[in-house]
Coordinates of all heavy atoms in Angstrom, one line a residue:
M1026 N -5.9 9.5 -0.9 CA -4.9 8.8 0.0 C -4.7 7.4 -0.5 O -5.6 6.7 -0.7 CB -5.5 8.9 1.4 CG -4.6 8.2 2.4 SD -5.3 8.4 4.1 CE -4.1 7.5 5.0
K1027 N -3.4 7.0 -0.6 CA -3.1 5.7 -1.0 C -3.2 4.7 0.1 O -2.9 5.1 1.3 CB -1.7 5.7 -1.5 CG -1.5 6.5 -2.8 CD 0.0 6.5 -3.2 CE 0.2 7.4 -4.4 NZ 1.6 7.4 -4.8
D1028 N -3.7 3.5 -0.2 CA -3.8 2.5 0.8 C -2.5 1.6 0.8 O -2.3 0.7 0.0 CB -5.0 1.6 0.6 CG -5.2 0.6 1.7 OD1 -4.3 0.4 2.5 OD2 -6.3 0.0 1.7
Y1029 N -1.5 2.0 1.6 CA -0.2 1.4 1.6 C -0.3 -0.1 2.0 O 0.5 -0.9 1.6 CB 0.7 2.1 2.6 CG 1.1 3.5 2.1 CD1 1.3 4.5 2.9 CD2 1.3 3.7 0.7 CE1 1.6 5.8 2.5 CE2 1.7 5.0 0.3 CZ 1.8 6.0 1.2 OH 2.2 7.2 0.7
Y1030 N -1.3 -0.5 2.9 CA -1.4 -1.9 3.2 C -1.9 -2.7 2.0 O -1.4 -3.8 1.8 CB -2.5 -2.0 4.4 CG -2.0 -1.4 5.7 CD1 -2.5 -0.2 6.1 CD2 -1.0 -2.0 6.4 CE1 -2.0 0.4 7.3 CE2 -0.5 -1.5 7.6 CZ -1.1 -0.2 8.0 OH -0.6 0.3 9.2
F1031 N -2.8 -2.1 1.2 CA -3.2 -2.8 0.0 C -2.1 -2.9 -1.0 O -1.9 -4.0 -1.6 CB -4.4 -2.0 -0.6 CG -4.8 -2.6 -1.9 CD1 -5.7 -3.7 -1.9 CD2 -4.4 -2.1 -3.1 CE1 -6.1 -4.3 -3.1 CE2 -4.9 -2.6 -4.3 CZ -5.7 -3.7 -4.3
V1032 N -1.3 -1.9 -1.1 CA -0.1 -1.9 -2.1 C 0.8 -3.0 -1.7 O 1.3 -3.7 -2.6 CB 0.6 -0.5 -2.1 CG1 1.9 -0.6 -2.8 CG2 -0.3 0.6 -2.6
L1033 N 1.1 -3.3 -0.5 CA 2.0 -4.3 -0.1 C 1.2 -5.7 0.1 O 1.9 -6.7 0.2 CB 2.7 -4.0 1.2 CG 3.7 -2.9 1.1 CD1 4.4 -2.6 2.5 CD2 4.8 -3.2 0.1
G1034 N -0.1 -5.6 0.1 CA -0.8 -6.9 0.3 C -0.8 -7.5 1.7 O -0.7 -8.7 1.9
V1035 N -0.8 -6.6 2.7 CA -0.7 -7.0 4.1 C -1.9 -6.4 4.9 O -2.5 -5.4 4.4 CB 0.6 -6.6 4.8 CG1 1.8 -7.3 4.1 CG2 0.8 -5.1 4.8
A1036 N -2.2 -7.0 6.0 CA -3.3 -6.5 6.9 C -2.7 -5.3 7.7 O -1.5 -5.2 7.8 CB -3.7 -7.6 7.8
Q1037 N -3.6 -4.5 8.2 CA -3.2 -3.3 9.0 C -2.5 -3.8 10.2 O -1.7 -3.1 10.8 CB -4.4 -2.5 9.3 CG -4.1 -1.2 10.1 CD -5.2 -0.3 10.3 OE1 -6.3 -0.5 9.8 NE2 -5.0 0.7 11.1
S1038 N -2.8 -5.0 10.7 CA -2.2 -5.5 11.9 C -0.8 -6.2 11.6 O -0.2 -6.8 12.5 CB -3.1 -6.5 12.6 OG -3.4 -7.6 11.7
A1039 N -0.3 -6.1 10.4 CA 0.9 -6.8 10.0 C 2.1 -6.4 10.9 O 2.2 -5.2 11.2 CB 1.2 -6.6 8.5
S1040 N 2.9 -7.3 11.2 CA 4.1 -7.0 11.9 C 5.2 -6.4 11.0 O 5.0 -6.5 9.7 CB 4.7 -8.3 12.6 OG 5.2 -9.1 11.5
L1041 N 6.2 -5.8 11.5 CA 7.3 -5.2 10.7 C 7.9 -6.3 9.9 O 8.2 -6.1 8.7 CB 8.3 -4.6 11.6 CG 9.5 -3.9 10.9 CD1 9.0 -2.8 9.9 CD2 10.4 -3.2 11.9
A1042 N 8.1 -7.5 10.4 CA 8.6 -8.6 9.6 C 7.8 -9.0 8.4 O 8.3 -9.2 7.4 CB 8.8 -9.9 10.5
D1043 N 6.4 -9.0 8.6 CA 5.5 -9.3 7.5 C 5.6 -8.2 6.5 O 5.5 -8.5 5.3 CB 4.1 -9.3 8.0 CG 3.8 -10.6 8.9 OD1 4.6 -11.5 8.8 OD2 2.9 -10.5 9.8
I1044 N 5.7 -6.9 6.9 CA 5.8 -5.8 6.0 C 7.1 -5.9 5.2 O 7.1 -5.7 3.9 CB 5.7 -4.5 6.7 CG1 4.3 -4.3 7.2 CG2 6.2 -3.3 5.9 CD1 4.1 -3.1 8.2
K1045 N 8.2 -6.2 5.8 CA 9.5 -6.4 5.1 C 9.4 -7.5 4.1 O 9.9 -7.4 3.0 CB 10.6 -6.7 6.1 CG 11.1 -5.5 6.9 CD 12.2 -5.8 7.8 CE 12.6 -4.6 8.6 NZ 13.7 -4.9 9.5
K1046 N 8.8 -8.7 4.5 CA 8.7 -9.8 3.6 C 7.9 -9.4 2.4 O 8.2 -9.7 1.2 CB 8.1 -11.0 4.3 CG 7.9 -12.2 3.5 CD 7.4 -13.4 4.3 CE 7.2 -14.6 3.4 NZ 6.6 -15.7 4.2
A1047 N 6.7 -8.8 2.6 CA 5.8 -8.4 1.5 C 6.6 -7.4 0.6 O 6.4 -7.5 -0.6 CB 4.6 -7.8 2.1
F1048 N 7.3 -6.5 1.2 CA 8.1 -5.5 0.4 C 9.1 -6.2 -0.5 O 9.2 -5.9 -1.7 CB 8.8 -4.5 1.3 CG 9.8 -3.7 0.5 CD1 9.4 -2.7 -0.4 CD2 11.2 -3.9 0.7 CE1 10.3 -2.0 -1.1 CE2 12.1 -3.1 0.0 CZ 11.7 -2.2 -0.9
R1049 N 9.8 -7.2 0.0 CA 10.8 -7.9 -0.8 C 10.1 -8.6 -2.0 O 10.6 -8.6 -3.1 CB 11.6 -8.9 0.1 CG 12.6 -8.2 1.0 CD 13.4 -9.3 1.7 NE 14.0 -8.6 2.8 CZ 13.8 -9.0 4.1 NH1 13.0 -10.0 4.4 NH2 14.4 -8.4 5.1
V1050 N 9.0 -9.3 -1.7 CA 8.3 -10.0 -2.8 C 7.8 -9.0 -3.8 O 8.0 -9.3 -5.0 CB 7.1 -10.8 -2.2 CG1 6.2 -11.4 -3.2 CG2 7.7 -11.9 -1.3
K1051 N 7.1 -8.0 -3.4 CA 6.6 -7.0 -4.4 C 7.7 -6.2 -5.1 O 7.5 -6.0 -6.3 CB 5.6 -6.0 -3.7 CG 4.4 -6.6 -3.1 CD 3.4 -6.9 -4.2 CE 2.1 -7.4 -3.5 NZ 1.0 -7.6 -4.5
A1052 N 8.7 -5.9 -4.4 CA 9.8 -5.1 -5.1 C 10.5 -6.0 -6.1 O 10.8 -5.5 -7.2 CB 10.8 -4.7 -4.0
A1053 N 10.7 -7.3 -5.8 CA 11.2 -8.2 -6.8 C 10.3 -8.4 -8.0 O 10.7 -8.4 -9.2 CB 11.5 -9.5 -6.2
E1054 N 9.0 -8.4 -7.7 CA 8.0 -8.6 -8.8 C 8.0 -7.4 -9.8 O 7.8 -7.6 -11.0 CB 6.6 -8.8 -8.2 CG 5.5 -9.0 -9.2 CD 4.2 -9.2 -8.6 OE1 4.1 -9.3 -7.3 OE2 3.2 -9.1 -9.3
F1055 N 8.0 -6.2 -9.2 CA 7.8 -5.0 -10.0 C 9.1 -4.2 -10.3 O 9.1 -3.2 -11.0 CB 6.9 -4.0 -9.3 CG 5.5 -4.6 -9.2 CD1 4.9 -4.8 -8.0 CD2 4.8 -5.0 -10.4 CE1 3.6 -5.3 -7.9 CE2 3.5 -5.5 -10.3 CZ 2.9 -5.7 -9.0
H1056 N 10.3 -4.8 -10.0 CA 11.5 -4.1 -10.2 C 11.7 -3.9 -11.8 O 11.6 -4.9 -12.5 CB 12.7 -4.8 -9.6 CG 14.0 -4.0 -9.6 ND1 14.7 -3.7 -10.7 CD2 14.5 -3.3 -8.6 CE1 15.7 -2.9 -10.4 NE2 15.6 -2.6 -9.1
P1057 N 12.0 -2.7 -12.2 CA 12.1 -2.5 -13.7 C 13.1 -3.4 -14.4 O 13.0 -3.7 -15.6 CB 12.4 -1.0 -13.8 CG 11.9 -0.4 -12.5 CD 12.0 -1.5 -11.5
D1058 N 14.1 -3.8 -13.7 CA 15.1 -4.7 -14.3 C 14.6 -6.1 -14.5 O 15.1 -6.8 -15.3 CB 16.4 -4.7 -13.4 CG 17.2 -3.4 -13.4 OD1 16.9 -2.6 -14.3 OD2 18.0 -3.2 -12.5
R1059 N 13.6 -6.5 -13.8 CA 13.0 -7.8 -13.8 C 11.7 -7.9 -14.6 O 11.2 -8.9 -15.0 CB 12.8 -8.4 -12.5 CG 14.1 -8.7 -11.7 CD 13.8 -9.3 -10.4 NE 15.0 -9.8 -9.8 CZ 15.0 -10.5 -8.7 NH1 13.9 -10.7 -8.1 NH2 16.2 -10.9 -8.2
N1060 N 11.0 -6.7 -14.6 CA 9.6 -6.7 -15.2 C 9.6 -5.7 -16.3 O 9.9 -4.5 -16.1 CB 8.6 -6.3 -14.1 CG 7.2 -6.4 -14.5 OD1 6.9 -6.3 -15.7 ND2 6.3 -6.7 -13.5
S1061 N 9.3 -6.1 -17.5 CA 9.4 -5.2 -18.7 C 8.1 -4.5 -18.9 O 8.0 -3.7 -19.9 CB 9.7 -6.0 -19.9 OG 8.8 -7.0 -20.1
S1062 N 7.1 -4.7 -18.0 CA 5.8 -4.0 -18.2 C 6.0 -2.5 -18.1 O 6.8 -2.0 -17.3 CB 4.8 -4.4 -17.1 OG 3.7 -3.6 -17.1
E1063 N 5.2 -1.7 -18.8 CA 5.2 -0.3 -18.8 C 4.8 0.2 -17.4 O 5.2 1.3 -17.0 CB 4.3 0.4 -19.8 CG 4.8 0.1 -21.2 CD 3.8 0.7 -22.2 OE1 2.8 1.4 -21.8 OE2 4.0 0.4 -23.4
L1064 N 4.0 -0.6 -16.7 CA 3.5 -0.2 -15.4 C 4.5 -0.5 -14.2 O 4.3 0.0 -13.1 CB 2.2 -0.8 -15.1 CG 1.1 -0.5 -16.1 CD1 -0.2 -1.4 -15.7 CD2 0.7 1.0 -16.1
A1065 N 5.5 -1.3 -14.5 CA 6.4 -1.8 -13.5 C 7.1 -0.6 -12.7 O 7.1 -0.7 -11.5 CB 7.5 -2.7 -14.1
P1066 N 7.7 0.4 -13.4 CA 8.3 1.4 -12.6 C 7.4 2.2 -11.6 O 7.7 2.4 -10.5 CB 8.8 2.4 -13.7 CG 9.0 1.6 -14.9 CD 7.9 0.6 -14.8
A1067 N 6.1 2.4 -12.1 CA 5.2 3.1 -11.2 C 4.8 2.2 -10.0 O 4.7 2.7 -8.9 CB 3.9 3.5 -12.0
K1068 N 4.6 0.9 -10.3 CA 4.2 0.0 -9.2 C 5.4 -0.2 -8.3 O 5.2 -0.3 -7.0 CB 3.8 -1.3 -9.8 CG 2.4 -1.2 -10.4 CD 1.9 -2.6 -10.9 CE 0.5 -2.5 -11.4 NZ -0.1 -3.8 -11.7
F1069 N 6.6 -0.2 -8.8 CA 7.8 -0.4 -7.9 C 7.9 0.8 -7.0 O 8.1 0.7 -5.8 CB 9.0 -0.5 -8.8 CG 10.3 -0.7 -8.0 CD1 10.6 -1.9 -7.4 CD2 11.1 0.4 -7.8 CE1 11.8 -2.0 -6.6 CE2 12.3 0.3 -7.0 CZ 12.6 -0.9 -6.4
H1070 N 7.7 2.0 -7.6 CA 7.7 3.3 -6.8 C 6.6 3.2 -5.7 O 6.9 3.6 -4.5 CB 7.6 4.5 -7.7 CG 7.5 5.8 -6.9 ND1 8.7 6.3 -6.3 CD2 6.5 6.6 -6.6 CE1 8.4 7.4 -5.7 NE2 7.1 7.6 -5.9
A1071 N 5.4 2.8 -6.0 CA 4.4 2.7 -5.0 C 4.7 1.7 -3.9 O 4.4 2.0 -2.7 CB 3.1 2.3 -5.7
V1072 N 5.3 0.6 -4.3 CA 5.7 -0.4 -3.3 C 6.8 0.2 -2.3 O 6.7 0.1 -1.1 CB 6.2 -1.7 -3.9 CG1 6.9 -2.6 -3.0 CG2 5.0 -2.4 -4.6
K1073 N 7.7 0.9 -2.9 CA 8.8 1.5 -2.1 C 8.2 2.6 -1.2 O 8.6 2.7 0.0 CB 9.9 2.2 -3.1 CG 10.9 3.0 -2.4 CD 12.2 2.3 -2.3 CE 13.3 3.2 -1.8 NZ 13.2 3.6 -0.4
E1074 N 7.3 3.4 -1.7 CA 6.7 4.5 -0.9 C 5.9 3.8 0.3 O 6.0 4.3 1.4 CB 5.8 5.3 -1.8 CG 5.1 6.4 -1.1 CD 4.2 7.2 -2.0 OE1 4.2 7.0 -3.3 OE2 3.4 8.0 -1.5
A1075 N 5.2 2.8 0.0 CA 4.4 2.1 1.0 C 5.3 1.5 2.1 O 5.1 1.7 3.3 CB 3.6 1.0 0.4
Y1076 N 6.4 0.9 1.7 CA 7.4 0.4 2.6 C 8.0 1.5 3.5 O 8.2 1.3 4.7 CB 8.4 -0.5 1.9 CG 9.5 -1.0 2.8 CD1 9.2 -2.1 3.7 CD2 10.7 -0.4 2.9 CE1 10.1 -2.5 4.6 CE2 11.7 -0.9 3.8 CZ 11.4 -2.0 4.6 OH 12.3 -2.4 5.5
D1077 N 8.4 2.6 2.8 CA 9.0 3.6 3.6 C 8.1 4.2 4.7 O 8.6 4.5 5.8 CB 9.4 4.8 2.6 CG 10.6 4.5 1.7 OD1 11.3 3.5 2.0 OD2 10.7 5.2 0.7
V1078 N 6.8 4.2 4.4 CA 5.9 4.7 5.5 C 5.6 3.7 6.5 O 5.7 3.9 7.7 CB 4.6 5.2 4.8 CG1 3.5 5.5 5.9 CG2 4.8 6.4 4.0
L1079 N 5.3 2.4 6.1 CA 4.9 1.4 7.0 C 6.1 0.8 7.8 O 5.8 0.2 8.9 CB 4.2 0.3 6.3 CG 2.9 0.7 5.6 CD1 2.2 -0.5 5.0 CD2 1.9 1.4 6.6
S1080 N 7.3 1.0 7.4 CA 8.4 0.4 8.1 C 9.0 1.4 9.2 O 9.7 1.0 10.0 CB 9.6 0.0 7.2 OG 10.1 1.2 6.5
D1081 N 8.5 2.6 9.1 CA 8.9 3.7 10.1 C 7.8 3.8 11.1 O 6.7 4.1 10.8 CB 9.2 5.0 9.4 CG 9.6 6.1 10.3 OD1 8.7 6.6 11.0 OD2 10.7 6.4 10.3
E1082 N 8.1 3.5 12.4 CA 7.0 3.5 13.4 C 6.3 4.8 13.5 O 5.0 4.8 13.6 CB 7.7 3.1 14.7 CG 6.6 2.9 15.8 CD 7.2 2.4 17.1 OE1 8.4 1.8 17.1 OE2 6.6 2.6 18.2
A1083 N 6.9 5.9 13.5 CA 6.3 7.2 13.7 C 5.4 7.5 12.4 O 4.3 8.0 12.5 CB 7.3 8.3 13.9
A1084 N 6.0 7.2 11.3 CA 5.3 7.5 10.0 C 4.0 6.6 9.9 O 3.0 7.0 9.5 CB 6.2 7.3 8.8
R1085 N 4.2 5.3 10.3 CA 3.1 4.4 10.3 C 2.0 4.8 11.2 O 0.8 4.8 10.9 CB 3.5 3.0 10.6 CG 2.5 1.9 10.5 CD 3.0 0.6 10.8 NE 1.9 -0.5 10.7 CZ 2.1 -1.7 10.9 NH1 3.3 -2.2 11.1 NH2 1.1 -2.6 10.8
T1086 N 2.3 5.3 12.4 CA 1.3 5.7 13.4 C 0.6 6.9 12.8 O -0.7 7.0 12.9 CB 2.0 6.1 14.7 OG1 2.6 4.9 15.2 CG2 1.0 6.6 15.7
A1087 N 1.3 7.9 12.2 CA 0.6 9.1 11.6 C -0.2 8.6 10.5 O -1.4 9.2 10.3 CB 1.7 10.1 11.2
Y1088 N 0.2 7.7 9.6 CA -0.5 7.2 8.5 C -1.8 6.6 9.0 O -2.9 6.8 8.4 CB 0.3 6.3 7.7 CG -0.5 5.6 6.6 CD1 -0.9 6.2 5.4 CD2 -0.9 4.2 6.7 CE1 -1.6 5.6 4.5 CE2 -1.6 3.6 5.8 CZ -2.0 4.3 4.6 OH -2.7 3.6 3.7
D1089 N -1.7 5.7 10.0 CA -2.9 5.0 10.5 C -3.9 6.0 11.0 O -5.1 5.8 10.8 CB -2.5 4.0 11.6 CG -1.8 2.7 11.0 OD1 -1.9 2.5 9.8 OD2 -1.2 2.0 11.8
E1090 N -3.4 7.0 11.7 CA -4.4 8.0 12.3 C -5.1 8.8 11.2 O -6.3 9.0 11.3 CB -3.6 8.9 13.2 CG -4.4 10.0 13.8 CD -5.6 9.5 14.7 OE1 -5.5 8.4 15.3 OE2 -6.6 10.2 14.8
N1091 N -4.3 9.2 10.2 CA -4.9 9.9 9.1 C -5.9 9.0 8.3 O -6.9 9.5 7.9 CB -3.8 10.4 8.1 CG -4.3 11.3 7.1 OD1 -5.3 12.0 7.3 ND2 -3.6 11.4 6.0
R1092 N -5.5 7.8 8.2 CA -6.4 6.8 7.5 C -7.7 6.6 8.3 O -8.8 6.6 7.7 CB -5.7 5.5 7.4 CG -6.2 4.5 6.5 CD -5.2 3.4 6.3 NE -5.7 2.3 5.5 CZ -6.0 1.1 5.9 NH1 -5.6 0.7 7.1 NH2 -6.5 0.2 5.1
R1093 N -7.6 6.5 9.6 CA -8.8 6.3 10.4 C -9.7 7.6 10.3 O -10.9 7.5 10.2 CB -8.4 6.1 11.9 CG -9.6 5.8 12.8 CD -9.2 5.8 14.3 NE -8.7 7.1 14.8 CZ -9.5 8.1 15.1 NH1 -10.8 8.0 14.9 NH2 -8.9 9.2 15.5
R1094 N -9.0 8.8 10.4 CA -9.8 10.0 10.3 C -10.5 10.2 9.0 O -11.6 10.6 8.9 CB -8.8 11.2 10.6 CG -9.4 12.5 10.9 CD -8.4 13.6 11.4 NE -7.2 13.5 10.7 CZ -6.0 13.2 11.3 NH1 -6.0 12.8 12.6 NH2 -4.9 13.2 10.6
N1095 N -9.8 9.8 7.9 CA -10.5 9.9 6.6 C -11.7 9.0 6.5 O -12.7 9.3 5.8 CB -9.5 9.5 5.5 CG -8.5 10.7 5.2 OD1 -8.8 11.8 5.6 ND2 -7.4 10.4 4.5
L1096 N -11.6 7.8 7.1 CA -12.7 6.9 7.0 C -13.9 7.5 7.8 O -15.0 7.3 7.3 CB -12.3 5.5 7.7 CG -13.4 4.5 7.7 CD1 -13.8 4.1 6.3 CD2 -12.9 3.2 8.4
L1097 N -13.6 8.1 8.9 CA -14.7 8.7 9.7 C -15.3 10.0 9.0 O -16.5 10.2 9.1 CB -14.2 9.0 11.1 CG -13.8 7.8 11.9 CD1 -13.3 8.3 13.3 CD2 -15.0 6.9 12.1
E1098 N -14.5 10.8 8.4 CA -14.9 12.0 7.8 C -15.6 11.9 6.5 O -16.5 12.6 6.1 CB -13.7 13.0 7.7 CG -13.2 13.5 9.0 CD -12.0 14.3 9.0 OE1 -11.5 14.6 7.8 OE2 -11.5 14.7 10.0
S1099 N -15.1 10.9 5.7 CA -15.7 10.7 4.3 C -15.9 9.2 4.0 O -15.1 8.7 3.2 CB -14.9 11.4 3.3 OG -13.6 10.9 3.3
P1100 N -16.8 8.6 4.7 CA -16.9 7.1 4.5 C -17.3 6.7 3.1 O -16.8 5.6 2.7 CB -18.0 6.7 5.5 CG -18.7 7.9 5.8 CD -17.7 9.1 5.6
I1101 N -18.1 7.4 2.4 CA -18.5 7.0 1.1 C -17.3 7.1 0.1 O -17.0 6.2 -0.6 CB -19.6 8.0 0.5 CG1 -20.8 7.8 1.4 CG2 -19.9 7.6 -0.9 CD1 -21.5 6.5 1.4
E1102 N -16.5 8.2 0.2 CA -15.3 8.3 -0.6 C -14.3 7.2 -0.3 O -13.7 6.6 -1.2 CB -14.6 9.7 -0.5 CG -15.4 10.8 -1.1 CD -14.8 12.1 -0.8 OE1 -13.5 12.2 -0.7 OE2 -15.5 13.1 -0.8
T1103 N -14.1 7.0 1.0 CA -13.1 5.9 1.4 C -13.6 4.6 0.9 O -12.8 3.8 0.4 CB -13.0 6.0 2.9 OG1 -12.6 7.3 3.3 CG2 -11.9 4.9 3.4
A1104 N -14.9 4.2 1.1 CA -15.4 2.9 0.7 C -15.2 2.8 -0.9 O -14.8 1.7 -1.4 CB -16.8 2.8 1.1
T1105 N -15.5 3.9 -1.6 CA -15.4 3.8 -3.0 C -13.9 3.5 -3.4 O -13.6 2.7 -4.3 CB -15.8 5.2 -3.7 OG1 -17.2 5.4 -3.3 CG2 -15.7 5.2 -5.2
E1106 N -13.0 4.2 -2.8 CA -11.6 4.0 -3.1 C -11.1 2.6 -2.8 O -10.4 1.9 -3.5 CB -10.7 5.0 -2.3 CG -9.2 4.9 -2.6 CD -8.4 5.9 -1.9 OE1 -8.9 6.9 -1.5 OE2 -7.2 5.6 -1.7
V1107 N -11.6 2.1 -1.6 CA -11.2 0.7 -1.2 C -11.7 -0.3 -2.3 O -11.0 -1.2 -2.7 CB -11.8 0.4 0.2 CG1 -11.7 -1.1 0.5 CG2 -11.1 1.2 1.2
W1108 N -13.0 -0.1 -2.7 CA -13.5 -1.1 -3.7 C -12.8 -0.9 -5.0 O -12.6 -1.9 -5.7 CB -15.0 -0.9 -3.8 CG -15.7 -1.6 -2.7 CD1 -16.4 -1.1 -1.6 CD2 -15.9 -3.1 -2.6 NE1 -16.9 -2.1 -0.8 CE2 -16.6 -3.3 -1.4 CE3 -15.5 -4.1 -3.4 CZ2 -16.9 -4.6 -1.0 CZ3 -15.8 -5.4 -3.0 CH2 -16.5 -5.6 -1.8
Q1109 N -12.5 0.3 -5.4 CA -11.8 0.5 -6.7 C -10.4 -0.2 -6.6 O -10.0 -0.8 -7.6 CB -11.7 2.0 -7.0 CG -13.0 2.6 -7.5 CD -12.9 4.1 -7.6 OE1 -12.0 4.7 -7.1 NE2 -13.8 4.6 -8.4
N1110 N -9.7 0.0 -5.5 CA -8.4 -0.7 -5.4 C -8.6 -2.2 -5.4 O -7.8 -2.9 -6.1 CB -7.8 -0.3 -4.1 CG -7.2 1.1 -4.1 OD1 -7.0 1.6 -5.1 ND2 -7.0 1.7 -2.9
Y1111 N -9.6 -2.7 -4.8 CA -9.9 -4.2 -4.7 C -10.2 -4.7 -6.1 O -9.6 -5.7 -6.6 CB -11.0 -4.5 -3.8 CG -11.4 -5.9 -3.8 CD1 -10.6 -6.9 -3.2 CD2 -12.6 -6.4 -4.5 CE1 -11.0 -8.3 -3.3 CE2 -12.9 -7.7 -4.6 CZ -12.1 -8.6 -3.9 OH -12.4 -10.0 -4.0
I1112 N -11.1 -4.0 -6.8 CA -11.5 -4.5 -8.1 C -10.3 -4.4 -9.1 O -10.1 -5.3 -9.9 CB -12.7 -3.6 -8.7 CG1 -13.9 -3.8 -7.8 CG2 -12.9 -3.9 -10.2 CD1 -14.4 -5.2 -7.8
S1113 N -9.5 -3.3 -9.1 CA -8.4 -3.2 -10.0 C -7.3 -4.3 -9.6 O -6.7 -4.8 -10.5 CB -7.7 -1.9 -9.9 OG -7.1 -1.6 -8.7
G1114 N -7.2 -4.7 -8.4 CA -6.3 -5.8 -8.0 C -6.8 -7.2 -8.5 O -6.0 -8.0 -8.9
V1115 N -8.1 -7.4 -8.5 CA -8.7 -8.6 -9.0 C -8.6 -8.7 -10.5 O -8.3 -9.8 -11.0 CB -10.2 -8.7 -8.5 CG1 -10.9 -9.9 -9.1 CG2 -10.2 -8.8 -7.0
I1116 N -8.8 -7.6 -11.2 CA -8.8 -7.7 -12.6 C -7.4 -7.9 -13.2 O -7.3 -8.5 -14.2 CB -9.5 -6.4 -13.2 CG1 -10.9 -6.4 -12.8 CG2 -9.3 -6.3 -14.7 CD1 -11.6 -5.1 -13.2
Q1117 N -6.4 -7.4 -12.5 CA -5.0 -7.5 -13.1 C -4.5 -8.9 -13.0 O -4.5 -9.8 -12.9 CB -4.1 -6.6 -12.3 CG -4.4 -5.2 -12.5 CD -3.5 -4.3 -11.6 OE1 -2.5 -4.8 -11.0 NE2 -3.8 -3.1 -11.6

């Protein structure tokens, strides 16, 4: 499961305005027309996917519930994924 909050760099409690602002910044950073990195298209797609889910109230509610359930059902796997995402973000 992807951590859409991490992808956009916002807290789970972020408002819709904060999500939109983060999306604009990340989309501009990773847009393939502006970023020549080989990873830019994949990152741009991930940012768009995160925004699509988090900007839709029903989809965000379902995502948050699924995220909470995954944390409770497999805490070791979830913690591992969170740390891997964090470390990869720090190293880049």
Side-chain angles (χ1 to χ4, degrees):
M1026 180 175 177
K1027 296 180 183 176
D1028 186 348
Y1029 293 141
Y1030 294 104
F1031 178 79
V1032 170
L1033 291 179
V1035 296
Q1037 185 174 349
S1038 60
S1040 68
L1041 182 57
D1043 292 335
I1044 290 169
K1045 285 181 181 181
K1046 182 178 179 182
F1048 168 71
R1049 286 188 199 114
V1050 169
K1051 295 282 186 177
E1054 178 182 352
F1055 295 119
H1056 195 282
D1058 290 344
R1059 292 183 169 185
N1060 188 330
S1061 61
S1062 168
E1063 292 178 10
L1064 300 175
K1068 288 187 176 187
F1069 180 78
H1070 178 71
V1072 167
K1073 171 104 173 67
E1074 182 180 348
Y1076 177 74
D1077 288 346
V1078 171
L1079 297 181
S1080 65
D1081 179 283
E1082 187 176 335
R1085 183 177 180 180
T1086 301
Y1088 170 75
D1089 286 343
E1090 179 60 28
N1091 191 27
R1092 194 168 175 245
R1093 183 188 67 76
R1094 196 170 36 251
N1095 282 344
L1096 179 60
L1097 295 176
E1098 291 174 1
S1099 57
I1101 298 296
E1102 288 178 31
T1103 304
T1105 301
E1106 182 180 335
V1107 167
W1108 277 107
Q1109 286 174 342
N1110 286 339
Y1111 174 75
I1112 294 299
S1113 69
V1115 169
I1116 292 173
Q1117 294 176 9

